[in-house]
Amino acid sequence: GAFHTSDENYDAPKCHPKTRLAILKEIMDWLNDTDEPHHAMWMRGAAGAGKSAIARTIAQMCDEQGQLSSSFFFSRTASDARRSDETHLVATLAYQMSENIPEIRQYISTAILTNRFIFDLGLDAQIYKLIVTPLAQLSNSSSILILPKIIIIDGLDECHNKDAQNAIVNAFVAALARMNHNFPHKLLIASWPEQNIQSAFGDRDLAPFLRQLPLDSSWDPDDDIRRFLVDNLAKIRDTHPLRNIIPLEWPAPRDIDKLVEKSSGQFIYAATVSKYIK
C-alpha cells in the first residue's frame, strides 16, 4: 500500500490535469539540475494543500521517465496499519530501488545476506546499510552519467514515531549530500510542518543541502482550484442521471467564484464539494 502504484492507491489523489504546473515544474527542474547543491527538498503545507497529490504526480512522472528510485507514502487512515509507522520504510525503499535500479541489487542483496538480522536494527542503521551504503558503492563503481533519480517520502507527519521522523530527515539528507555526482540522487519529503519536523529541517548542518518548498499563496492556487471545480462539475453535469434537465450554464460563474473563495487555497475543500454534489 505504500507504493505509489499499489492497488490500495488506485484512486489516490493526483494533480488534476493542467493544475499545479508551476510547482511540478519547480520540482522537476530541481531534480534535473545536476549543479543544484540542495540534495533534499521539503515540501510543506497545511492539511488539504495538495501535498500528497503533488508527490504522487511527481512519482508517476519520474517513474515514466525512469527517474524514480523509490517512494513511500505514510498514512494514518490507510487500511494497512504498517503505513503509519517506520517499521517497513527502509525495506520498502530498498526493494523498490533494487527493482528500479538493477545495478544496485547486488549491493543490497549482499547487505541482507551478510546480516540476517538487518531488519531488526534501528532505523538509522537500516538506512545506512540498505540505502546509503549501496548508493555509495554504486556511485563509486559507476563512471557512467545517468539521469538524476529521486526518493519520495510523503506524509512524514503521519508517521506515529516522532523520533523516527527526525531520524529519517537527518539520515537521508546528510547521506545524499555525500553522493558522487556520477550517480545523482535527490530526496523529496512532503509533510505538514509539525514542530518537531520543523526542528529537524531547521538543523544548521542540513541547511546547505536543503531546499524548502512551502505550498503557500505565492503559487496562486485559486486559478488551479477554479479549473478543478469547472472541470469536475461539468463532468458531473454531463454524466448525471438527470442531465437532461440540468442547465448547460450550471454551475454559474458566480457560484464557482464563491466556492473558490471558500476553498481558501485548500484543494481538499474543492474536492469534498465535488464529491458531495456527485
Side-chain angles (χ1 to χ4, degrees), residues 20 46-50 222 225-226 228-229 232-233 255-277:
R20 316 317 292 264
D222 286 359
I225 290 174
R226 179 175 283 101
F228 172 85
L229 285 168
N232 274 272
L233 295 181
D255 293 330
I256 293 290
D257 290 341
K258 289 179 181 178
L259 290 174
V260 171
E261 182 181 357
K262 288 181 177 294
S263 294
S264 300
Q266 305 302 302
F267 268 82
I268 193 170
Y269 180 90
T272 302
V273 167
S274 294
K275 288 181 180 179
Y276 178 78
I277 294 175

Side-chain angles (χ1 to χ4, degrees), residues 111-128:
I112 296 172
L113 292 173
T114 55
N115 185 352
R116 60 177 180 164
F117 299 111
I118 196 165
F119 294 109
D120 294 326
L121 299 176
L123 184 62
D124 282 342
Q126 286 190 47
I127 292 174
Y128 181 76

Side-chain angles (χ1 to χ4, degrees), residues 78 128 137 145 237 260:
Y128 181 76
Q137 289 172 318
L145 293 174
R237 179 193 64 212
V260 171

Side-chain angles (χ1 to χ4, degrees), residues 1-2 8-9 56 73-84 158:
E8 186 177 332
N9 296 325
R56 290 187 185 283
F73 290 81
F74 283 105
S75 174
R76 290 176 183 168
T77 59
S79 58
D80 187 347
R82 294 173 297 181
R83 287 182 57 194
S84 63
E158 300 205 24

Side-chain angles (χ1 to χ4, degrees), residues 227-247:
R227 179 183 292 274
F228 172 85
L229 285 168
V230 168
D231 289 352
N232 274 272
L233 295 181
K235 184 177 180 180
I236 292 172
R237 179 193 64 212
D238 295 341
T239 58
H240 196 277
L242 300 177
R243 57 185 174 276
N244 291 333
I245 62 174
I246 299 176

Side-chain angles (χ1 to χ4, degrees), residues 9-213:
N9 296 325
Y10 79 98
D11 196 30
K14 297 184 182 69
C15 294
H16 185 72
K18 297 182 181 179
T19 66
R20 316 317 292 264
L21 297 181
I23 295 176
L24 296 175
K25 183 178 185 301
E26 183 82 5
I27 296 173
M28 292 305 296
D29 286 349
W30 161 76
L31 170 61
N32 290 312
D33 184 357
T34 54
D35 294 324
E36 167 66 61
H38 304 109
H39 295 266
M41 176 181 285
W42 179 30
M43 179 171 62
R44 54 185 169 84
K51 300 181 297 295
S52 291
I54 294 170
R56 290 187 185 283
T57 301
I58 289 292
Q60 181 178 10
M61 292 170 63
C62 290
D63 193 18
E64 293 172 352
Q65 297 172 19
Q67 292 184 265
L68 180 65
S69 175
S70 51
S71 63
F72 192 95
F73 290 81
F74 283 105
S75 174
R76 290 176 183 168
T77 59
S79 58
D80 187 347
R82 294 173 297 181
R83 287 182 57 194
S84 63
D85 65 52
E86 77 287 357
T87 307
H88 300 277
L89 170 67
V90 179
T92 301
L93 295 177
Y95 170 75
Q96 290 181 70
M97 286 175 61
S98 68
E99 291 293 305
N100 294 332
I101 312 170
E103 297 83 1
I104 206 173
R105 193 173 300 158
Q106 59 177 316
Y107 303 115
I108 295 176
S109 297
T110 299
I112 296 172
L113 292 173
T114 55
N115 185 352
R116 60 177 180 164
F117 299 111
I118 196 165
F119 294 109
D120 294 326
L121 299 176
L123 184 62
D124 282 342
Q126 286 190 47
I127 292 174
Y128 181 76
K129 292 179 179 292
L130 288 168
I131 306 293
V132 176
T133 298
L135 278 173
Q137 289 172 318
L138 181 59
S139 176
N140 292 332
S141 67
S142 177
S143 60
I144 302 175
L145 293 174
I146 64 170
L147 285 173
K149 292 188 181 288
I150 192 169
I151 297 171
I152 299 173
I153 300 176
D154 177 63
L156 182 61
D157 54 290
E158 300 205 24
C159 174
H160 286 303
N161 188 336
K162 295 189 181 301
D163 290 335
Q165 294 174 359
N166 293 346
I168 290 167
V169 172
N170 292 320
F172 274 110
V173 176
L176 292 178
R178 298 194 297 266
M179 289 294 100
N180 189 310
H181 279 281
N182 287 338
F183 196 75
H185 244 75
K186 290 181 180 175
L187 171 71
L188 173 65
I189 294 180
S191 79
W192 188 75
E194 289 185 346
Q195 184 175 355
N196 67 297
I197 297 178
Q198 283 186 320
S199 297
F201 280 114
D203 189 323
R204 291 182 180 180
D205 292 336
L206 299 184
F209 315 112
L210 176 67
R211 181 171 178 178
Q212 299 200 23
L213 183 66

